[in-house]
Amino acid sequence: MEESPPSPVTEATEADTEEQKNGNSKILKRLETIPDIKRDTSGITTQYIATGIVNLGAFASGACVAWSSSALPMMTLGHSESRPSDGVIYASFNGTHPKIELTDSEASWVASLLCLGALFGAVPSGLISEYFGRKKTLLYLALPLVVSWILVASSPNVYGLYVGRFVGGLAVGAFSVAIPPYVEDIAEDNLRPALANFYHVHFACGILFGYIIGMVHSTSWLSMLCASVPVAFFIAFIFLPESPTYLITQGKYVEAKTALRYFRGIDNDVDSEIKVLKEFIRSHGRNKVTIKQLLSSRTTIKALVVSYGLMIFQQMSGIFPILFNAEKIFKSFSISLNPPSAAIILGFCLVSSTYFSTTFLKKIRRRVLLLISFTAMSLSLGLLAIYYHLNVSNLSNNSTWVPLFTLCLFVSVYAVGVGPIPWLMLREIFAPNVRRRATAVTAGFHWFLAFGVTKLFQNLVHIVSPGWTLWFFALTCAVGTIFVYFFVPETKDRTLDEIQDEFDGIHKRRKHRHVIEVETIYQA
């Protein structure tokens, strides 16, 4: 006897049951067409890829820093040469424009104006992203970067370089403040520490990229290659959704749920997380503070002292002058290795150490890492200063490995401790309602210090010689060690309440229970 074919009603029922188990079939089919980013239905892959895309902004910022090291040696005049009144030497050409040749003073301005622009970009970017959205703010930051590279590549005089670097700095500073909140909004709690470190890794990779393309001996081509990074960032980032947290603040709950499901995967229920976000935003709105209120709390002031102190010693260690002038520094030591090649090795050490810093941060306490980092930085700079004095006194032959080893050690220990930890502590020592405002003002202070140290580095070298300049940076790192020992609290595996109690001078001690008391309890 032949079996009757299944009825359309039975087929529909089975299809509905299958759809309830696995989700809407049309959505699943559409998601299958998106490569890799949605194959992992837990959303972990999506979060990693999205964090990598948004941190292309950090990559572009690192390329801006490394440009000075690669380009300025090709544009700097010798001390004995004179300059025409129009500021341009027409002896050689770079593309369609006369090749600009700069004095050491002008070169220091070209390098440091990036940091000055970053100061003016960092402070308001947090407020701008709150009004216009995280995604729009980050997306439109690609525009000033591209404009800055066009100005740098095509400028016929030094003033165009000044404007171009300052405009680029606006985007660099804004990226440093706007990228971390977007990553924090899209990341799950257990992934947030690892994803937060993407900014520092991508920034270091951008520096290495800038050193590598410095092998192209053309400032115009160098600028155009750097301009390709913000273009790639804009094209890739435009397809990512807005921050779910920002969408909730605008009352767009359906869009927020869709965006959060995008980052959490199709198999995860996001309703509970949406509820938590709503409660957090309501609490944040009630407890929102102004800059004046930020400075009225004793606990917040002490937290600002710690964050500002760490930024002071981080920047006064000389990290930015070394990264901005890597090739010039290697050339001043007359090493046998090609200076661009030495700079690439330096950049590789920075990238590798930054990449592995997450592992150290998970296993080692913050204070211990800071103490080791500052101490090792001081020793490496002191060793390099001694080598310089011996070399100048003809008591030592020129060597490649001493300058290269000491500077590689310097950037490596910086990347493990002094580099990321001050930024990490901003999330650990400030209450949620003041965190982003405190981050903005601290970032602005960070870029102000970077501008001052980078600009005055060349003057300091001319006044007291490179050797004593290195001694100054080494002494600063040693004082930074003392500051950490006496003023910086341990934050690893501690709650915000415990940290703020320490700022207030309240040390909660665990109640001591005698062995006899414990035995009595068990006997009862």
Side-chain angles (χ1 to χ4, degrees):
M1 184 175 180
E2 295 183 0
E3 294 183 0
S4 60
S7 65
V9 177
T10 305
E11 289 181 346
T13 304
E14 291 176 354
D16 291 341
T17 305
E18 189 67 21
E19 188 174 304
Q20 289 175 1
K21 290 180 180 179
N22 299 322
N24 190 288
S25 58
K26 291 182 180 180
I27 295 177
L28 290 175
K29 288 179 181 178
R30 186 163 65 248
L31 291 176
E32 285 293 327
T33 63
I34 303 176
D36 293 334
I37 196 169
K38 278 299 177 184
R39 299 285 174 85
D40 182 3
T41 56
S42 67
I44 295 176
T45 302
T46 305
Q47 292 173 59
Y48 271 92
I49 293 177
T51 304
I53 290 173
V54 71
N55 276 290
L56 284 175
F59 189 98
S61 301
C64 290
V65 171
W67 179 89
S68 299
S69 173
S70 302
L72 292 182
M74 294 186 281
M75 305 170 71
T76 305
L77 277 166
H79 295 296
S80 61
E81 297 183 59
S82 60
R83 165 181 298 283
S85 59
D86 60 359
V88 181
I89 294 181
Y90 294 92
S92 59
F93 289 81
N94 191 355
T96 59
H97 292 272
K99 181 179 178 181
I100 306 173
E101 298 200 37
L102 312 173
T103 64
D104 285 339
S105 176
E106 289 169 338
S108 68
W109 276 110
V110 171
S112 60
L113 277 173
L114 180 82
C115 300
L116 184 62
L119 164 62
F120 289 97
V123 175
S125 63
L127 294 175
I128 293 172
S129 65
E130 287 182 7
Y131 285 101
F132 295 101
R134 313 265 194 270
K135 180 180 177 180
K136 285 183 180 179
T137 302
L138 287 166
L139 202 59
Y140 294 145
L141 286 177
L143 180 61
L145 265 184
V146 173
V147 170
S148 73
W149 287 123
I150 293 173
L151 286 172
V152 169
S154 61
S155 176
N157 55 50
V158 68
Y159 303 106
L161 290 179
Y162 290 163
V163 175
R165 293 289 284 174
F166 182 84
V167 171
L170 293 174
V172 170
F175 273 134
S176 69
V177 175
I179 289 176
Y182 183 87
V183 174
E184 187 176 346
D185 290 346
I186 69 173
E188 297 179 47
D189 291 340
N190 59 326
L191 297 178
R192 192 166 289 129
L195 296 182
N197 199 44
F198 269 46
Y199 178 88
H200 303 286
V201 174
H202 278 67
F203 188 84
C205 288
I207 292 175
L208 177 59
F209 171 77
Y211 289 161
I212 291 174
I213 63 175
M215 303 294 286
V216 179
H217 294 289
S218 169
T219 54
S220 294
W221 274 107
L222 183 62
S223 300
M224 289 297 100
L225 289 171
C226 289
S228 66
V229 181
V231 173
F233 163 76
F234 184 90
I235 295 172
F237 188 59
I238 199 171
F239 295 103
L240 294 181
E242 176 60 271
S243 156
T245 304
Y246 172 76
L247 292 172
I248 292 177
T249 62
Q250 302 303 303
K252 300 178 180 179
Y253 300 112
V254 176
E255 294 180 30
K257 188 174 180 179
T258 303
L260 192 60
R261 184 177 286 114
Y262 177 88
F263 293 115
R264 295 297 179 265
I266 58 177
D267 284 352
N268 291 330
D269 181 19
V270 298
D271 290 335
S272 59
E273 190 169 353
I274 288 288
K275 185 178 180 180
V276 171
L277 284 175
K278 287 180 181 179
E279 291 298 325
F280 172 79
I281 290 168
R282 289 194 191 100
S283 175
H284 177 74
R286 289 193 298 266
N287 299 321
K288 201 171 183 179
V289 298
T290 62
I291 296 293
K292 183 178 180 180
Q293 292 171 328
L294 184 69
L295 299 176
S296 62
S297 169
R298 176 184 175 186
T299 302
T300 305
I301 289 175
K302 287 191 175 182
L304 282 173
V305 169
V306 170
S307 61
Y308 272 41
L310 289 176
M311 291 300 178
I312 288 173
F313 293 109
Q314 181 197 72
Q315 288 306 308
M316 296 295 283
S317 69
I319 183 64
F320 268 29
I322 289 173
L323 295 178
F324 272 107
N325 302 281
E327 287 192 23
K328 187 174 182 179
I329 291 172
F330 283 121
K331 188 176 180 180
S332 67
F333 281 95
S334 303
I335 63 174
S336 57
L337 186 65
N338 189 19
S341 301
I344 291 173
I345 296 173
L346 184 73
F348 179 78
C349 290
L350 179 66
V351 170
S352 57
S353 300
T354 306
Y355 178 79
F356 289 109
S357 65
T358 304
T359 303
F360 290 105
L361 290 171
K362 286 180 180 179
K363 297 182 178 180
I364 304 176
R365 290 182 299 169
R366 311 279 189 258
R367 274 170 49 87
V368 174
L369 275 177
L370 284 172
L371 292 170
I372 293 174
S373 185
F374 271 124
T375 302
M377 289 166 65
S378 179
L379 292 175
S380 61
L381 291 175
L383 179 61
L384 185 59
I386 292 172
Y387 170 79
Y388 175 83
H389 292 303
L390 293 176
N391 199 12
V392 170
S393 303
N394 295 322
L395 298 176
S396 174
N397 295 326
N398 288 334
S399 173
T400 297
W401 76 267
V402 174
L404 187 59
F405 171 77
T406 52
L407 287 180
C408 284
L409 176 63
F410 174 80
V411 299
S412 296
V413 293
Y414 167 86
V416 170
V418 176
I421 289 179
W423 297 102
L424 178 62
M425 278 193 168
L426 291 175
R427 301 199 305 270
E428 298 175 336
I429 64 177
F430 288 104
N433 62 318
V434 303
R435 186 175 298 151
R436 289 186 178 174
R437 202 170 293 275
T439 299
V441 296
T442 304
F445 183 66
H446 163 270
W447 287 113
F448 171 75
L449 291 170
F451 164 70
V453 176
T454 305
K455 179 64 188 78
L456 296 176
F457 171 73
Q458 196 60 53
N459 297 340
L460 199 60
V461 167
H462 285 164
I463 295 173
V464 298
S465 81
W468 289 109
T469 303
L470 292 171
W471 278 120
F472 170 76
F473 291 147
L475 180 61
T476 301
C477 292
V479 177
T481 306
I482 299 172
F483 174 81
V484 170
Y485 185 82
F486 285 103
F487 296 101
V488 177
E490 181 56 59
T491 59
K492 187 177 184 296
D493 299 328
R494 298 183 69 191
T495 65
L496 179 63
D497 290 337
E498 291 174 341
I499 295 169
Q500 294 192 335
D501 284 344
E502 183 172 343
F503 283 139
D504 288 333
I506 303 172
H507 300 277
K508 294 184 178 180
R509 298 174 180 268
R510 293 183 179 179
K511 183 181 177 182
H512 177 70
R513 305 185 73 177
H514 199 273
V515 178
I516 299 176
E517 180 184 352
V518 175
E519 290 179 352
T520 305
I521 293 174
Y522 280 119
Q523 288 175 1

